[in-house]
Amino acid sequence: MSLDAELLHKAVAQLHGSSVHHDLRQRAVEDLLTQGFPTTRDEHWKYSDCSPLLASLGARLYHDSHPVDDVEMARLVDVESYTLHFVDGVWDKERSDLPAGITVTSYTETTDLFAPDEESVLSQGFTSLNGALASGGVMVDVAEGLSLDRPLAMMHSSSGKVAHVRHQVRVGQASEVVLIEHFSGEGAHSGLTNVVTALHLSEGARVAHYRLQQEGLLQAHIGRLAVKQQRDSHYCSHLLTLGAAWSRVDVVISLADIGANCQLNGLYLLSGRQHGDHHIQIDHLAPHCQSDTHYRGVLDGRARAVFNGKVVVHKGAVKSHSTQSNANLLLSANAEVDTKPELEIYNDDVKCAHGSTTGRLDQQQLFYLQSRGLSESEARQLLTLAFVGEVMTRMNEPALRAYVQKGCFAKLPHPLDMNMEGFL
Amino acid sequence: MLTIENLHARVEGKEILKGLNLEIGSGEIHAIMGPNGAGKSTLSNVLSGRGGYEVTQGRVIYQGKDLLAMSPEERAWEGVFLAFQYPVEIPGVNNAYLLKAGLNAKRKYLGLQELDAMEFMSMVREKAATVELDAAFLSRSVNEGFSGGEKKRNEIFQMAVLEPSFAILDETDSGLDIDALRVVAGGVNQLRSPDRSMMVVTHYQRLLDYIEPDVVHVLMDGQILKTGDKSLAKVLESRGYDWVRAEARS
Ligand SMILES: Nc1ncnc2c1ncn2[C@@H]1O[C@H](COP(=O)(O)OP(=O)(O)OP(=O)(O)O)[C@@H](O)[C@H]1O
Ligand SMILES: [Mg+2]
């Protein structure tokens, strides 16, 4: 399904916003008209064919006139937070609960628009579509020197519509926040969440970011997370993909100044016919920066996962440290994964390591557990949880870790009466 | 307790056990000796239900039941325990969690009340002390980073917790230093009881000085070629195995 220029222009014309929005939209439209949507001939979309999605959405891709169904607002049970609610990407201003030091403006009302991360090699088709059509989303400003006592949660519920959402988060100098982006919603029809989140970390800022995607199985999810890090900033991402029939997330990190470091942890648990694609690009642009990527995936049924992690150490980015690993566990014969860690280095003074593995449950370990009295299904479950536990141990917020653990536990096939007390 | 009749078993199409017969009575300790590759571990694995072994003939009756028809976990619940020759490391699975889940599954199967966390921990601490295993091991991943000796000690500790009726010890003595051997054997001896039987696989007479067997068997050529009392182990130690085959043939 190719791009429909007429529908695109028509949809853009209906949007509100300032002249800054107008300019950005025009640029995005032009980009999109030149590039088009990615196809499987595009290196970074080789294993993820978006044409069936485009075909099924048709004109809804540009303008979705479906009425908004009632949706249940997602809650993070047992996690205390300041909360922003979004329905199909639209911020529900009335229900916000915000502390001093955090300023939130809706995307169409702010004039402080971040420049797009144009340097990324990852195909920009859906990002441009988002730039052209985004009406939902917010600008979040975190004041300098703020240390937020609770996480700031951005809770998204989808009613099954097509939503183009654009968030911008600027974290002031030496501030410290835990940010949650949660996506859920069990719509009656299949929609698309196309979300771009741009994060700017000022000097010395520290952000722990939980991006939890638990959308319904009729939904498609395309996300781009673009992080720009200033001097000595620290960014820790915990990315969880459990939901959506078809999902693609691009994480683009720019270590722009001396001493910036990032830790990217990821977990995808896919079953049935789910398709989940994660692409990461980290640019080391300055000296003394560090990046550590650790993604794990569990695939059951006929699920398909794609992992591509690329680290680019640019000229002048001396004393760079980078590690990258991706491990996959296949629970069924029909599950499939394509994994590719990549490294491009343009100077000598660096330390880098990367690798990926794909395997199945270890028969010897299974037998050992069974011989101690665990049923086969319990043993399988336990070994699978141990595999994903490796990522969870890196989550420093206990309430969020417990929430993620429960989500994973519920997603994995397990005996109903299995008692996880003491393991979690 | 256990009756093995005419047991034939294959691994990867190759016949390893070729008509093995063995009878172990309640409360008895039987030592199984035999050259490398004779099939001692194969026998241990077939009895505990490990996959990859094909039983082509024969049967095993355990406490009046058809053992070979049971899944590995059912065997565990019925009281069969295997102390592995090579205990596997399981990163991310906590020792205490495994034991509690295993023990409570067994108790449930037997219609007993499950132990709560408090009862379990105090019982387990006590058992850890009997094999001089530091309680800190409980919160570590199963066998991960354990030394060879610690792994074997952990096996006997698990046996003490799970209180089996029939325990198979596959070369629990190999890799142990003299002191550890004494500790492990002490742990085993504490578990000796009139309603608990054991099959102890070993290459060394030394272990049998500590754990005195009622009967010693020689497993060779896929069968029990000779059976005797504990003095047989001493003879094997000095004369090796060839004479056993020669005697059996004649
Ligand atoms: N998984 C397997 N695949 C192929 N052959 C196997 C397998 N397991 C065991 N065997 C073979 O079966 C035979 C018996 O092995 P087993 O481990 O039972 O011997 P063992 O008596 O325990 O020896 P050891 O004293 O060295 O422990 C050997 O020839 C071995 O190579
Ligand atoms: Mg052996």
Side-chain angles (χ1 to χ4, degrees):
Chain A
M1 169 106 184
S2 58
L3 188 69
D4 190 324
E6 196 182 323
L7 284 178
L8 178 64
H9 285 300
K10 217 170 117 193
V12 172
Q14 288 173 3
L15 297 173
H16 304 285
S18 65
S19 61
V20 197
H21 289 88
H22 182 80
D23 293 349
L24 189 128
R25 284 178 186 142
Q26 287 314 316
R27 259 172 68 195
V29 167
E30 279 158 33
D31 286 347
L32 187 55
L33 290 174
T34 347
Q35 283 183 42
F37 288 115
T39 70
T40 51
R41 285 185 303 278
D42 182 330
E43 187 198 337
H44 295 285
W45 288 77
K46 202 160 128 192
Y47 304 107
S48 294
D49 184 3
C50 61
S51 58
L53 173 69
L54 296 174
S56 79
L57 292 175
R60 290 174 61 206
L61 193 59
Y62 309 98
H63 178 74
D64 192 349
S65 53
H66 268 297
V68 177
D69 294 342
D70 272 345
V71 285
E72 204 180 317
M73 282 295 174
R75 275 187 350 108
L76 291 171
V77 184
D78 297 332
V79 180
E80 289 225 42
S81 65
Y82 300 108
T83 310
L84 300 174
H85 291 277
F86 300 86
V87 176
D88 295 323
V90 179
W91 178 32
D92 185 350
K93 212 168 177 173
E94 264 60 70
R95 299 190 52 197
S96 306
D97 155 30
L98 289 172
I102 304 266
T103 315
V104 179
T105 322
S106 79
Y107 175 72
T108 45
E109 280 165 25
T110 181
T111 49
D112 181 7
L113 298 187
F114 292 2
D117 57 313
E118 280 162 336
E119 59 275 16
S120 169
V121 299
L122 298 182
S123 167
Q124 305 261 21
F126 285 97
T127 311
S128 300
L129 182 71
N130 178 290
L133 296 176
S135 53
V138 288
M139 164 79 194
V140 177
D141 227 310
V142 179
E144 280 182 17
L146 185 75
S147 185
L148 206 57
D149 59 338
R150 281 188 240 160
L152 175 67
M154 299 165 75
M155 305 296 294
H156 303 75
S157 308
S158 167
S159 73
K161 283 183 61 132
V162 175
H164 305 284
V165 192
R166 207 168 183 94
H167 295 309
Q168 303 186 139
V169 181
R170 179 180 287 117
V171 183
Q173 208 171 320
S175 285
E176 198 167 341
V177 288
V178 175
L179 182 69
I180 300 167
E181 266 190 292
H182 184 271
F183 300 91
S184 68
E186 201 75 53
H189 35 263
S190 32
L192 165 69
T193 303
N194 179 20
V195 55
V196 173
T197 303
L199 267 157
H200 283 189
L201 274 66
S202 310
E203 190 174 327
R206 297 180 70 84
V207 174
H209 181 191
Y210 289 78
R211 188 190 196 281
L212 314 173
Q213 193 271 94
Q214 296 179 278
E215 291 197 282
L217 289 175
L218 290 175
Q219 196 73 2
H221 181 101
I222 298 177
R224 184 185 194 86
L225 176 60
V227 184
K228 191 160 187 175
Q229 294 189 240
Q230 295 306 326
R231 193 177 176 121
D232 295 328
S233 62
H234 179 77
Y235 174 68
C236 181
S237 156
H238 302 287
L239 187 146
L240 178 72
T241 297
L242 296 181
W246 195 93
S247 68
R248 160 77 180 226
V249 179
D250 289 349
V251 178
V252 184
I253 310 274
S254 161
L255 299 170
D257 206 343
I258 300 170
N261 72 72
C262 67
Q263 195 185 342
L264 308 181
N265 302 318
L267 201 50
Y268 42 94
L269 270 57
L270 305 171
S271 58
R273 291 183 172 270
Q274 278 185 294
H275 179 102
D277 181 341
H278 296 87
H279 269 63
I280 296 172
Q281 187 190 333
I282 303 171
D283 286 286
H284 281 253
L285 297 160
H288 294 282
C289 290
Q290 181 164 347
S291 66
D292 295 290
T293 306
H294 188 80
Y295 268 56
R296 290 201 159 196
V298 178
L299 304 165
D300 201 0
R302 300 186 155 272
R304 173 94 186 250
V306 182
F307 175 87
N308 183 292
K310 183 170 196 163
V311 176
V312 186
V313 181
H314 292 256
K315 223 171 166 169
V318 294
K319 308 281 182 201
S320 289
H321 276 222
S322 176
T323 64
Q324 190 180 182
S325 75
N326 171 236
N328 296 281
L329 176 61
L330 303 182
L331 294 181
S332 83
N334 295 317
E336 208 181 321
V337 60
D338 291 286
T339 168
K340 188 176 176 194
E342 292 179 79
L343 199 52
E344 272 178 35
I345 305 178
Y346 299 101
N347 74 67
D348 313 326
D349 194 7
V350 297
K351 269 195 196 138
C352 295
H354 68 212
S356 71
T357 59
T358 299
R360 296 177 190 280
L361 288 178
D362 185 304
Q363 291 300 318
Q364 306 218 43
Q365 294 179 337
L366 271 175
F367 175 63
Y368 191 92
L369 296 178
Q370 283 179 270
S371 78
R372 298 307 182 239
L374 272 65
S375 69
E376 189 190 342
S377 57
E378 208 174 349
R380 295 178 72 87
Q381 170 85 8
L382 197 56
L383 290 178
T384 308
L385 281 172
F387 177 82
V388 300
E390 173 70 28
V391 174
M392 290 178 199
T393 54
R394 295 157 195 256
M395 300 178 177
N396 288 326
E397 289 69 27
L400 278 159
R401 184 172 56 224
Y403 176 85
V404 170
Q405 263 168 339
K406 281 197 191 112
C408 292
F409 182 52
K411 172 90 197 205
L412 296 168
H414 62 276
L416 285 172
D417 61 344
M418 185 167 167
N419 176 14
M420 292 307 296
E421 181 202 339
F423 183 80
L424 295 181
Chain B
M1 177 71 68
L2 185 84
T3 306
I4 303 174
E5 285 172 11
N6 190 32
L7 186 64
H8 290 253
R10 296 185 195 194
V11 188
E12 310 243 322
K14 180 174 147 200
E15 186 158 62
I16 308 294
L17 303 181
K18 303 169 185 168
L20 187 142
N21 295 293
L22 184 64
E23 173 103 38
I24 300 180
S26 257
E28 292 175 359
I29 293 192
H30 288 225
I32 307 275
M33 302 183 79
N36 291 131
K40 303 180 297 297
S41 292
T42 300
L43 175 62
S44 307
N45 290 334
V46 167
L47 293 179
S48 50
R50 187 182 208 130
Y53 297 87
E54 189 196 349
V55 174
T56 52
Q57 266 190 73
R59 57 178 200 158
V60 179
I61 304 300
Y62 166 69
Q63 293 184 331
K65 293 178 183 154
D66 178 2
L67 185 71
L68 300 179
M70 298 179 203
S71 68
E73 58 269 32
E74 279 175 295
R75 298 181 202 203
W77 301 336
E78 289 280 354
V80 175
F81 180 89
L82 169 65
F84 286 74
Q85 179 171 5
Y86 304 108
V88 61
E89 299 194 8
I90 314 183
V93 174
N94 177 287
N95 247 330
Y97 180 84
L98 165 62
L99 277 177
K100 184 160 171 261
L103 181 64
N104 278 337
K106 177 177 176 178
R107 291 181 68 92
K108 207 166 149 189
Y109 178 81
L110 298 175
L112 299 169
Q113 182 91 41
E114 293 180 34
L115 294 186
D116 66 30
M118 295 267 282
E119 293 169 315
F120 174 77
M121 283 318 285
S122 68
M123 181 272 283
V124 140
R125 288 224 165 79
E126 203 178 291
K127 304 272 165 133
T130 64
V131 284
E132 296 178 22
L133 193 72
D134 191 333
F137 278 89
L138 285 168
S139 52
R140 282 173 57 178
S141 289
V142 176
N143 294 320
E144 191 188 23
F146 288 23
S147 75
E150 286 163 350
K151 283 181 184 164
K152 295 302 179 77
R153 232 184 257 215
N154 192 32
E155 295 293 291
I156 300 307
F157 159 64
Q158 296 187 355
M159 172 165 107
V161 171
L162 295 171
E163 299 187 317
S165 310
F166 175 56
I168 305 161
L169 275 57
D170 191 359
E171 295 197 31
T172 301
D173 53 336
S174 61
L176 292 181
D177 65 35
I178 308 285
D179 290 334
L181 181 67
R182 202 176 300 129
V183 171
V184 162
V188 172
N189 284 329
Q190 285 191 35
L191 289 168
R192 270 189 113 134
S193 98
D195 47 16
R196 180 172 295 132
S197 312
M198 297 191 201
M199 187 178 110
V200 178
V201 174
T202 184
H203 285 291
Y204 306 105
Q205 135 72 21
R206 198 183 55 195
L207 177 73
L208 304 178
D209 285 341
Y210 294 105
I211 306 172
E212 269 195 47
D214 300 297
V215 187
V216 175
H217 304 277
V218 179
L219 199 170
M220 272 178 96
D221 302 337
Q223 296 186 333
I224 300 294
L225 281 195
K226 190 168 178 68
T227 295
D229 61 15
K230 63 180 182 187
S231 64
L232 175 58
K234 290 215 166 62
V235 179
L236 294 168
E237 182 108 327
S238 59
R239 294 183 60 191
Y241 290 106
D242 286 347
W243 66 275
V244 178
R245 184 179 286 131
E247 190 187 275
R249 291 247 169 83
S250 66

